[in-house]
Amino acid sequence: MLRSRILGTGRSVPATVMTNADLEKIVDTSDAWIVERTGIRERRILEEGRTTSDLATEAARLACQAAGWDPKTLECVIVATITPDVPMPATAVYVQDKLGCNGSAAFDLVAACAGFIYGMSVADAFIRAGQYRRVCVIGVEIVSRIVDWTDRSTCILFGDGAGAVAMGPDESGRGVASTHIYADGSGAEHLHIPGGGARMPATADTLRERQHYIKMNGRQVFAHAVRNMAAACEEALAANGLTINDIDLVVAHQANIRILESLAERLNIPMEKVYLNLQYYGNTSSASIPIALDELARDGKLHPGDKLLFCALGAGLAWGSAVIYW
Ligand code: COA
């Protein structure tokens, strides 16, 4: 059976660490509050002068290297991001140019924290259709540049980073067994940036009103995340004739430890089966799953045939799940 398979992974995270103690100096918060409500202890912040396409390119190069590919031979570059280098053109074209695969397909995909699963789903369809054999999917976010550093209810949650996978065809039975992607635009207001688009172009007033930063209704997002991710996981398992006991590891979007604990409870699995690195990176949006995957792969924690279950939910609301036979 022809499947798409992840043949290499890579990640690039900024060197600069911002701890909860550092945040205590910026907004009225405490390490204890942040750890108790989110599980996050520190996050990475990109240095001035570097941008989204820089981290994305580094992660993509490493993924290609792990796959044994020259980046110049990539046929399609998909960048999942809500923090593009510029509003236009796509960040993917800057990444493509830096990688040297000019002439390949290159585009961005906006599905926020679900962006990596959306990107994988598109890559999987391209590969199974025979359209491309060498696809790089990159989840990358420099959330520090769009977060309101005066809003303690959001600025404590996020971090910067990039993760990438090199995907190609495989007939051994290993690879992407299924992807399910969903959205419900009636929840768009729960997590959005009101300003800076066609609806509210940037003016001195919109800047003063801080309309160009993330606005979030945390409680609503929390409730939808648990419910919808659990449902997407059930759907993924059913589509593959699996039960949760067949899954070796759940690699979920790293937003908040309480969301992941509630998800584990709904799926009836112990937390040992849910990968966790949010304590070190915070919520890196579309980058969180590929960063986690790269850590697992490079630490030798993944074995051929392992069954992985991915799931994520974010702004849109957009969410999804995937089953991978590693
Ligand atoms: N430090 C200290 N106090 C804070 C705080 C902070 N960083 N942020 C908010 N608070 C305060 C609030 O002002 C509120 O105070 P009040 O009761 O005096 O009004 C209190 O803590 C409780 O706020 P609330 O928003 O109800 O807390 P919560 O338990 O819902 O936790 C989140 C807030 C953001 C941690 C939680 O809603 C969450 O994790 N939501 C999901 C968000 C997410 O993951 N989004 C991205 C998904 S991709």
Side-chain angles (χ1 to χ4, degrees):
M1 178 197 294
L2 175 70
R3 284 197 165 128
S4 71
R5 181 153 85 86
I6 294 171
L7 301 164
T9 64
R11 72 177 185 275
S12 176
V13 295
T16 305
V17 174
M18 179 186 273
T19 63
N20 292 348
D22 296 328
L23 274 166
E24 286 175 357
K25 296 176 199 138
I26 303 175
V27 285
D28 180 15
T29 190
S30 67
D31 174 54
W33 193 95
I34 299 172
V35 171
E36 191 206 313
R37 302 290 177 119
T38 73
I40 298 165
R41 293 180 182 274
E42 58 188 45
R43 68 287 292 142
R44 303 298 179 98
I45 304 292
L46 190 63
E47 303 75 32
E48 240 177 77
R50 301 185 73 217
T51 185
T52 309
S53 62
D54 296 324
L55 282 197
T57 303
E58 286 167 10
R61 275 211 184 95
L62 289 166
C64 288
Q65 194 179 61
W69 296 352
D70 180 342
K72 292 190 174 65
T73 64
L74 283 173
E75 296 165 341
C76 179
V77 178
I78 302 174
V79 173
T81 191
I82 49 161
T83 51
D85 276 9
V86 291
M88 180 194 87
T91 301
V93 304
Y94 297 106
V95 176
Q96 180 211 54
D97 192 41
K98 288 176 189 179
L99 291 171
C101 55
N102 306 68
S104 72
F107 60 93
D108 288 4
L109 190 156
V110 180
C113 301
F116 179 73
I117 291 180
Y118 264 70
M120 248 186 48
S121 185
V122 172
D124 175 57
F126 276 149
I127 291 165
R128 283 188 297 107
Q131 189 162 348
Y132 300 119
R133 298 178 59 82
R134 293 194 171 196
V135 183
C136 189
V137 181
I138 306 156
V140 55
E141 301 293 2
I142 314 302
V143 192
S144 64
R145 306 257 167 98
I146 60 163
V147 91
D148 185 345
W149 288 102
T150 67
D151 175 7
R152 68 176 182 176
S153 68
T154 53
C155 74
I156 56 143
L157 298 173
F158 298 99
D160 302 338
V165 296
M167 290 175 65
D170 188 291
E171 304 220 19
S172 69
R174 297 167 67 187
V176 177
S178 67
T179 63
H180 288 82
I181 54 177
Y182 311 90
D184 178 358
S186 70
E189 302 284 298
H190 296 322
L191 182 49
H192 68 146
I193 298 177
R199 189 197 291 174
M200 190 191 288
T203 64
D205 283 343
T206 67
L207 289 175
R208 197 170 44 248
E209 290 158 7
R210 310 185 78 76
Q211 299 289 354
H212 303 264
Y213 296 117
I214 292 178
K215 315 276 179 206
M216 184 179 71
N217 180 339
R219 293 209 162 178
Q220 282 290 340
V221 175
F222 193 111
H224 281 95
V226 175
R227 197 181 324 127
N228 295 356
M229 288 202 298
C233 286
E234 300 291 359
E235 193 122 3
L237 293 171
N240 293 289
L242 300 172
T243 73
I244 192 66
N245 298 323
D246 297 313
I247 296 296
D248 294 290
L249 192 64
V250 174
V251 185
H253 170 49
Q254 305 284 306
N256 178 314
I257 194 159
R258 291 187 302 143
I259 293 177
L260 296 184
E261 284 167 353
S262 303
L263 176 71
E265 204 174 307
R266 284 208 181 205
L267 294 176
N268 201 16
I269 50 171
M271 277 303 281
E272 291 70 53
K273 279 214 172 181
V274 180
Y275 189 70
L276 272 188
N277 66 8
L278 58 83
Q279 58 275 38
Y280 306 117
Y281 300 122
N283 178 346
T284 58
S285 187
S286 65
S288 81
I289 292 178
I291 288 174
L293 199 59
D294 185 60
E295 285 187 342
L296 285 161
R298 287 179 194 270
D299 291 350
K301 291 187 179 147
L302 299 178
H303 312 286
D306 276 358
K307 294 186 182 67
L308 308 179
L309 177 58
F310 295 173
C311 63
L313 175 137
L317 301 171
W319 66 100
S321 62
V323 169
I324 313 290
Y325 298 151
W326 187 254

